[in-house]
Amino acid sequence: MAYCNMISPFSLQAAQLDEPTEKILLPPTDSNAEVMEITGYKLVYVNGACPRNYRVYKAHSMIGVIFQHITHWSNGVDSLRYAEPIDAAVGLDEFMKVARVSTTATERPPTEEELLDKEFDALTSDEWERLKRYVPQAKHLVAA
């Protein structure tokens, strides 16, 4: 009795896993990462030819992505064309700072009614304290 050598999806998948896979999104500390250091930032090449895409790191945290075109740099958050990568990175950084400030300024703490709608496990200790002191106000009562 002859057996056919059948390739199942599982064996194909296992064979692909045995082959070295290309690492993507390498951290700036990886020896294989293409890193460009500029004042205050590290740029890590991701992919692309024109534009080349770089992740921007500041103090070990990624703040966004900038792009190297043939004639200029851009950051994707404004419509400016920058001559140098540092200018594109600073423009991105400034935009992110403003975005964080405006998000923080517009956020308001949830009302007690909104807290009552949350799952108990999701409440913080401060929110529990607020709910302990909360006395609901009777509104629009109708006599029966």
Side-chain angles (χ1 to χ4, degrees):
M1 184 174 200
Y3 289 99
C4 289
N5 219 356
M6 303 268 309
I7 297 177
S8 70
F10 177 75
S11 61
L12 227 169
Q13 198 173 36
Q16 289 173 347
L17 291 176
D18 291 341
E19 296 172 10
T21 56
E22 181 184 341
K23 289 185 177 181
I24 57 171
L25 299 180
L26 296 172
T29 54
D30 191 295
S31 60
N32 294 317
E34 184 182 320
V35 178
M36 182 188 311
E37 297 206 30
I38 55 179
T39 309
Y41 304 95
K42 283 186 182 182
L43 308 181
V44 181
Y45 173 72
V46 178
N47 62 20
C50 185
R52 285 175 60 102
N53 302 321
Y54 290 87
R55 285 177 288 136
V56 180
Y57 287 84
K58 180 180 179 184
H60 307 297
S61 294
M62 188 180 124
I63 61 170
V65 179
I66 63 173
F67 311 97
Q68 180 186 23
H69 303 267
I70 293 173
T71 59
H72 65 280
W73 289 79
S74 67
N75 58 26
V77 295
D78 56 33
S79 58
L80 300 176
R81 293 178 174 213
Y82 297 97
E84 299 295 326
I86 183 71
D87 300 324
V90 168
L92 173 67
D93 196 13
E94 292 301 315
F95 177 85
M96 297 309 287
K97 285 178 188 171
V98 170
R100 278 191 292 273
V101 167
S102 65
T103 301
T104 307
T106 57
E107 287 180 359
R108 59 166 181 74
T111 64
E112 283 79 1
E113 285 84 9
E114 291 169 335
L115 290 177
L116 289 170
D117 290 335
K118 286 177 80 173
E119 292 184 27
F120 293 127
D121 295 355
L123 294 171
T124 66
S125 57
D126 291 340
E127 291 170 338
W128 271 110
E129 291 303 317
R130 282 181 54 202
L131 284 175
K132 284 183 193 175
R133 294 187 303 271
Y134 176 60
V135 177
Q137 299 298 315
K139 297 178 183 175
H140 310 294
L141 291 179
V142 178

